[in-house]
Amino acid sequence: MIPYGRQEITDQDIAEVKKVLRSDYITQGQTVPKFEQAIASYCGASYSVAVNSATSALHISCLALGLGPGDVLWTSPNTFVASANCALYCGAEIDFVDIDSKTYNMSVDALSEKLILAEKQGKLPKIVIPVHFAGQPCDMPAIYKLSKKYDFKIIEDASHAIGSSYSDIKVGSCIHSNITVFSFHPVKIITTAEGGMALTNNTEIADKLSRLRNHGITRDKKKIYKLNKNEIWNYQQIELGYNYRMNDLQAALGLSQLNRLDKYISTRHQIAKLYNYEFKDLPIKVPWQLPKTYSSFHLYPICVEKNIGSKQIQTHIYNYMHKNNINVNIHYIPVHRHPYYEDLGFKKNDYPEAEKFFQKEISLPIYPTLGIKNQKTVIELLKKKLS
Ligand SMILES: *Cc1c(COP(=O)(O)O)cnc(C)c1O
């Protein structure tokens, strides 16, 4: 079976995790801070807070930016449900901005138009979450400009996009956002099994994020108050937080994987290049790249532009590939189409570009250990069907 994405675990990775397993601390020792520093310095951000998933990172990022009941959060419909659920965790309202038909990211034009309308209705979003779909960076300078005009905060959902950059700015630098979130789930670019991270350049936000991942507890002497002289208070809970901590085993795996990040992305580019070349004469729309961006190529999304018989071509190709042991996937079922979101009042055609993309998209296998032989199998199967 060839999946659409998978992790690579080397002997070195295992040795690094083993070292931690045999050390004094296996959860909150020195490895998590080391991993945090390494990622922050890779991205050029001042602070980073490691957590147990990107979902947790999104949740506490929303809280750290003050999202609550009565507030509105906007994101892309073409994403994993976690990008939207974080708003609902905070009791806020969720809404979506349709995607661009070329990049499949949140459309800046659609965002501008929706902001004009929202301002008139007095319902501007408090937070906008652009998602770097497939690793393709969003037009962050343009979104940032709008955030200044309409006074909203930005969380970049960069779950797909560690190692991506635009105009030589690394995704994660937070130059055009308040917070950037990464996922280290095994299908993503590098993995800690489960894991995530929130990066920021703001000291207060960083402090708040670290407290929220650890029950709302502080050990900062300046923050510990009502000290009774005869009592020992070396920590206090000063707000309501969670246990969203990453542990040292995960961080050791992540640190070891980070050494291969750039190599991974160049391999992903080689894979994408071969697909692009081989599909030149097929009715396949290959992923377009926004000028001046460098994608991590977390996904290789294609759209099949042909009809075979009466069946929808996407279903046809999807089943055909699975029958041949190629586990292609669909990214994404638009968030608002899930039954839970339909119950909130969203309708199928609320975001027509996201819907159009969903009806055509297929994610082909792309990961560092795919290998030329497996990739050729994928290519030949598609050629047989679509030539
Ligand atoms: C994977 C993913 C998430 C959630 O990541 P976890 O680490 O599994 O919580 C959030 N947003 C997007 C776009 C993702 O692809």
Side-chain angles (χ1 to χ4, degrees):
M1 191 271 290
I2 302 175
Y4 80 91
R6 69 159 291 159
Q7 74 283 6
E8 179 202 43
I9 302 295
T10 65
D11 290 343
Q12 187 65 34
D13 290 343
I14 292 166
E16 294 299 327
V17 175
K18 249 189 189 166
K19 252 192 252 166
V20 173
L21 272 170
R22 295 193 195 285
S23 74
D24 292 335
Y25 298 101
I26 60 172
T27 56
Q28 305 303 308
Q30 278 318 298
T31 321
V32 172
K34 244 167 101 181
F35 183 45
E36 288 174 332
Q37 271 154 30
I39 298 275
S41 108
Y42 177 88
C43 297
S46 308
Y47 308 99
S48 69
V49 176
V51 287
N52 58 1
S53 72
T55 304
S56 304
L58 286 164
H59 181 195
I60 59 174
S61 295
C62 287
L63 290 173
L65 296 178
L67 191 76
D71 294 328
V72 186
L73 182 148
W74 293 358
T75 189
S76 167
N78 181 35
T79 186
F80 184 57
V81 291
S83 320
N85 286 343
C86 56
L88 304 179
Y89 296 157
C90 301
E93 206 180 301
I94 182 77
D95 205 353
F96 303 92
V97 181
D98 206 357
I99 61 169
D100 177 88
S101 60
K102 275 167 106 176
T103 61
Y104 316 134
N105 281 331
M106 178 184 283
S107 154
V108 176
D109 290 341
L111 177 61
S112 294
E113 284 166 29
K114 202 176 167 90
L115 285 165
I116 292 169
L117 202 71
E119 191 177 40
K120 279 188 195 142
Q121 297 168 337
K123 240 190 144 182
L124 283 167
K126 182 158 197 166
I127 298 176
V128 172
I129 304 189
V131 181
H132 305 298
F133 174 75
Q136 160 82 184
C138 296
D139 187 350
M140 290 314 299
I143 298 171
Y144 181 72
K145 228 168 137 184
L146 289 169
S147 79
K148 293 294 149 201
K149 184 167 174 194
Y150 292 97
D151 193 28
F152 59 82
K153 303 268 198 293
I154 301 174
I155 301 170
E156 294 173 69
D157 185 343
S159 294
H160 298 182
I162 191 168
S164 298
S165 55
Y166 55 98
S167 309
D168 292 324
I169 299 170
K170 276 247 154 51
V171 167
S173 68
C174 300
I175 286 177
H176 297 114
S177 63
N178 302 90
I179 300 174
T180 302
V181 167
F182 292 135
S183 170
F184 304 122
H185 181 278
V187 296
K188 307 291 163 71
I189 309 289
I190 57 169
T191 190
T192 60
E194 294 278 6
M197 199 173 274
L199 292 87
T200 182
N201 292 323
N202 180 295
T203 319
E204 281 89 52
I205 292 174
D207 282 351
K208 181 110 178 160
L209 289 168
S210 349
R211 275 201 305 277
L212 289 171
R213 83 169 153 190
N214 191 28
H215 308 278
I217 285 172
T218 185
R219 290 174 190 279
D220 182 346
K221 290 214 166 55
K222 285 184 289 255
K223 292 214 164 65
I224 293 178
Y225 57 101
K226 288 182 200 155
L227 273 174
N228 185 314
K229 272 196 189 120
N230 302 314
E231 293 171 328
I232 296 167
W233 288 89
N234 52 18
Y235 76 90
Q236 275 181 341
Q237 182 187 341
I238 59 169
E239 62 190 317
L240 187 62
Y242 306 85
N243 179 355
Y244 282 172
R245 295 185 307 257
M246 177 181 276
N247 67 50
D248 278 31
L249 303 177
Q250 295 169 304
L253 178 56
L255 261 172
S256 181
Q257 295 248 322
L258 182 58
N259 292 321
R260 301 194 300 278
L261 173 56
D262 289 337
K263 200 181 98 208
Y264 278 166
I265 294 176
S266 70
T267 307
R268 285 173 179 276
H269 272 256
Q270 277 168 19
I271 294 167
K273 207 170 147 189
L274 183 61
Y275 277 143
N276 287 346
Y277 176 78
E278 294 287 346
F279 298 157
K280 262 191 332 218
D281 302 321
L282 298 185
I284 288 176
K285 185 178 167 196
V286 302
W288 183 80
Q289 302 294 292
L290 190 70
K292 287 201 241 164
T293 62
Y294 183 72
S295 172
S296 66
F297 268 111
H298 164 57
L299 299 173
Y300 187 85
I302 61 164
C303 291
V304 185
E305 311 276 4
K306 187 186 180 179
N307 285 316
I308 301 178
S310 57
K311 228 187 194 163
Q312 200 190 339
I313 184 73
Q314 183 195 44
T315 317
H316 192 86
I317 299 288
Y318 181 93
N319 291 338
Y320 162 74
M321 295 303 271
H322 276 248
K323 236 175 264 158
N324 284 285
N325 286 319
I326 315 288
N327 281 9
V328 296
N329 211 335
I330 306 294
H331 294 98
Y332 282 96
I333 302 162
V335 178
H336 67 285
R337 295 287 315 282
H338 287 277
Y340 183 84
Y341 280 84
E342 292 202 338
D343 284 349
L344 296 179
F346 292 102
K347 305 239 160 17
K348 178 172 173 177
N349 285 315
D350 282 351
Y351 309 97
E353 289 300 336
E355 184 62 29
K356 239 192 278 177
F357 181 56
F358 163 54
Q359 299 296 339
K360 282 186 178 173
E361 196 270 353
I362 294 171
S363 296
L364 298 186
I366 186 163
Y367 50 92
T369 57
L370 174 63
I372 190 77
K373 196 166 146 271
N374 285 337
Q375 194 184 357
K376 288 236 160 108
T377 306
V378 176
I379 292 166
E380 288 316 312
L381 280 166
L382 285 168
K383 279 191 170 170
K384 219 161 102 186
K385 202 51 133 188
L386 293 168
S387 288

